[in-house]
Amino acid sequence: MSATEPMRDHWWWRPGWKTGRSFYTWHVTFADQPGAQRLVADYAPVLEKLPQLDPVPSRWLHLTLQGIGFTDEVADDDVDRIVRAARQRCAELEPFTVAIGPAHVDPETIQMPARPLEPLARLRLAIRAAIGDVWGHDNVPEPEAGFRAHVSLGYSNTAGPAEPVAQALDAHGGYTGEVTVTSVSLINLNRDRKAYEWTDVASVPLGGGTPSRT
């Protein structure tokens, strides 16, 4: 986006969302990735100076792949079947490394692109195929096109100009880091406290490693 465009408050209630409601979604998470943790530390000094942003704590750093639906609308048996299908699909994929960063201003976030896109897009297609194995391929939520692989460092908490944020990022300098994707997580996500927080539902390894179900 252009620095002359305004930023928007990210925390408005999108359709279907309300306090106490949560959502099943597939994310790549980074709690065990030193490269991602270093990026949080690298950008922390500039984010601390920007009160119009809510920084993402390192434990909640994530890359969104594919939603399933609100938890009160998805049967537990369907969740189990989708996880089993995802294990089969992801067993055919190998772990891969991507670079994330540097950070830039988006209309509602400070985010870092993840590149190369191709292995992440392939992982997303495997998850979409797993959902389709259970619900039918015409019933997979969310469009297949338009996937932008990114990791958000902070969310705008008010409407206002983007230029001060962009200038602060430019002055701070750009940083990148590498992460290795060895699994994908199904999570139960909520945003009750103006933050994306979750409980883990299942972790599905790439390449046929040992799966887990919480």
Side-chain angles (χ1 to χ4, degrees):
M1 67 176 286
S2 167
T4 60
E5 297 177 45
M7 296 188 74
R8 304 185 296 263
D9 183 358
H10 179 77
W11 299 117
W12 63 279
W13 286 108
R14 287 156 173 79
W17 282 96
K18 61 183 180 180
T19 301
R21 203 174 195 202
S22 60
F23 193 82
Y24 287 128
T25 181
W26 291 92
H27 281 188
V28 177
T29 59
F30 301 104
D32 61 347
Q33 290 287 324
Q37 306 302 312
R38 280 194 298 272
L39 280 172
V40 172
D42 288 337
Y43 280 104
V46 65
L47 294 183
E48 290 170 355
K49 298 176 183 177
L50 297 168
Q52 63 270 55
L53 299 176
D54 294 327
V56 178
S58 58
R59 67 174 294 194
W60 301 126
L61 209 65
H62 62 276
L63 189 155
T64 302
L65 284 178
Q66 173 66 43
I68 295 180
F70 287 105
T71 58
D72 56 1
E73 297 180 345
V74 181
D76 290 347
D77 182 61
D78 283 358
V79 172
D80 290 338
R81 292 167 63 203
I82 290 170
V83 169
R84 288 196 296 270
R87 287 172 182 159
Q88 293 177 334
R89 295 280 184 173
C90 290
E92 301 172 3
L93 303 178
E94 293 299 324
F96 56 89
T97 298
V98 294
I100 54 178
H104 64 87
V105 180
D106 196 62
E108 296 184 7
T109 67
I110 300 301
Q111 62 180 232
M112 304 178 292
R115 295 292 182 271
L117 177 63
E118 192 273 335
L120 289 162
R122 188 167 62 243
L123 175 57
R124 181 172 184 261
L125 287 176
I127 294 299
R128 289 180 61 84
I131 298 170
D133 290 341
V134 177
W135 284 349
H137 296 283
D138 291 337
N139 298 315
V140 178
E142 304 175 0
E144 179 180 327
F147 174 56
R148 294 190 308 125
H150 67 275
V151 178
S152 292
L153 277 171
Y155 296 99
S156 175
N157 57 37
T158 188
E163 188 172 6
V165 179
Q167 289 177 343
L169 285 174
D170 288 344
H172 185 68
Y175 296 85
T176 60
E178 288 192 342
V179 296
T180 300
V181 179
T182 61
S183 65
V184 60
S185 297
L186 177 62
I187 62 176
N188 182 329
L189 177 77
N190 78 79
R191 46 171 289 169
D192 289 355
R193 302 191 296 177
K194 292 191 174 183
Y196 290 108
E197 302 171 325
W198 62 80
T199 56
D200 293 313
V201 177
S203 177
V204 173
L206 276 58
T210 302
S212 68
R213 179 79 157 90
T214 58

